[in-house]
Amino acid sequence: MIDHIYLPVSDLERSSEFYKKLLEPLGIDMAYKFDRILGFAINGEPGFWLKNGTVAKDLYVAFPAKSADAVRTSYKAAMDAGATSKKEPSLRPEWRADYFAANVCDPDGYNIEIAYKPWLYKSVSNVDLVRNIDIAYQAGPDSPLWESFLSTHSEDVKVLWPGRPQPTVGLHKHDVDCREFLAAFDNRLATNPYKILFGEGNYTCSVVDWTVTMKGPTPGADGKMVPPTGKTARLELCFVTTWKDGKILEERIFYDAGELMRQLGLLEQQEKRAS
């Protein structure tokens, strides 16, 4: 829509160093250097220029990224270069469920967005979808990201849990299960970085360090409500996921259920009830 733009800055040298660091992870380099003008380009084609001038008011510039990881890398580079964070890398479901972006202020206070719009690319990485889902899940049901979490599951999704002989089936059931779990447990997944994260074809596998604290009552194996213990468990958690067209068809969840119960004090409660 726009062929190129000139951004007036108060200190050309300072801004050139800042934008070189921010734009490098996006495949944009400073290809043109003139006396008082600097041009940034992709494959030699310039589109973004810096020049000394009067700083504008309420100016907003967005740069495209080809992955969520590129957004995160560019955001970190900008912060390391002295940017002020406006909004950390996250999904933006108010615009679209799979819109992923970050915002920083440059040295002159311009609002700069780094945006990943996966629908613009022919192939969307299932690994990127895993990252986005985990971010949305940990935000919880009260967050606007929850709809984004649900939107990446098929209507007839199957979820296999440890200790359950049959998978749960259907998006509504999975929604209810997740809400009930998050109401009873404080849940933290260490996803930065993942211990293991890879994808091949229609499958992904992720392994994370999992910290979970029992904060509310939950149904026991006998159907009776078990009061919260307030204890914390630390385990590894593994997800093996089957995808089709950007949606989850089947999710297999693995963790040591016995060790989870032991660390949370649930085995002790179970023994007391049995006696």
Side-chain angles (χ1 to χ4, degrees):
M1 182 182 295
I2 296 174
D3 183 71
H4 59 277
I5 185 172
Y6 287 85
L7 189 72
V9 298
S10 61
D11 186 325
L12 187 60
E13 183 177 353
R14 179 182 65 174
S15 291
S16 69
E17 290 302 313
F18 174 81
Y19 280 100
K20 277 195 294 186
K21 292 175 182 177
L22 181 147
L23 297 175
E24 183 181 6
L26 308 180
I28 303 171
D29 61 358
M30 192 171 68
Y32 298 91
K33 299 180 183 180
F34 299 105
D35 188 20
R36 284 176 279 182
I37 299 176
L38 302 174
F40 289 83
I42 296 177
N43 297 326
E45 293 294 329
F48 179 66
W49 296 83
L50 300 176
K51 67 176 184 177
N52 277 318
T54 303
V55 175
K57 292 183 178 180
D58 300 325
L59 195 146
Y60 191 114
V61 178
F63 293 99
K66 292 185 178 180
S67 70
D69 270 349
V71 173
R72 294 186 185 94
T73 303
S74 177
Y75 172 84
K76 183 180 185 304
M79 295 301 293
D80 290 344
T84 301
S85 177
K86 290 282 287 185
K87 194 169 185 180
E88 293 183 353
S90 61
L91 291 165
R92 306 291 170 86
E94 64 271 24
W95 298 109
R96 180 167 164 148
D98 50 354
Y99 192 131
F100 190 87
N103 288 78
V104 300
C105 280
D106 82 345
D108 287 307
Y110 291 133
N111 191 342
I112 306 299
E113 178 179 336
I114 310 116
Y116 171 47
K117 299 179 178 181
W119 63 92
L120 298 180
Y121 303 95
K122 293 181 179 179
S123 177
V124 180
S125 166
N126 289 333
V127 168
D128 276 338
L129 293 176
V130 169
R131 295 183 189 274
N132 293 348
I133 286 172
D134 287 344
I135 291 168
Y137 177 73
Q138 294 199 88
D142 295 330
S143 165
L145 296 181
W146 194 253
E147 287 303 316
S148 178
F149 167 72
L150 295 178
S151 72
T152 50
H153 294 73
S154 65
E155 286 295 329
D156 56 351
V157 62
K158 292 183 180 180
V159 182
L160 293 87
W161 299 82
R164 295 188 185 183
Q166 298 297 326
T168 59
V169 180
L171 180 57
H172 175 70
K173 174 60 176 171
H174 189 48
D175 181 21
V176 171
D177 280 351
C178 290
R179 288 174 182 270
E180 289 180 349
F181 180 83
L182 292 175
F185 297 93
D186 181 57
N187 184 75
R188 294 289 180 268
L189 306 178
T191 59
N192 189 23
Y194 286 78
K195 297 188 79 170
I196 298 172
L197 176 59
F198 64 92
E200 183 173 347
N202 292 325
Y203 302 94
T204 57
C205 176
S206 62
V207 177
V208 297
D209 283 326
W210 181 32
T211 302
V212 57
T213 302
M214 190 178 181
K215 63 180 182 179
T218 188
D222 57 5
K224 296 180 180 179
M225 295 303 292
V226 178
T229 64
K231 293 186 176 182
T232 298
R234 293 177 176 83
L235 302 164
E236 278 192 344
L237 183 61
C238 175
F239 299 92
V240 178
T241 307
T242 305
W243 299 82
K244 183 178 181 181
D245 298 329
K247 290 186 179 289
I248 295 175
L249 297 181
E250 184 176 274
E251 187 168 46
R252 297 174 180 268
I253 303 171
F254 300 93
Y255 57 83
D256 188 331
E259 181 62 15
L260 176 69
M261 292 184 66
R262 185 191 70 78
Q263 291 190 38
L264 291 179
L266 295 174
L267 287 179
E268 184 179 342
Q269 283 199 6
Q270 197 175 64
E271 291 169 358
K272 286 181 179 179
R273 289 202 306 272
S275 60

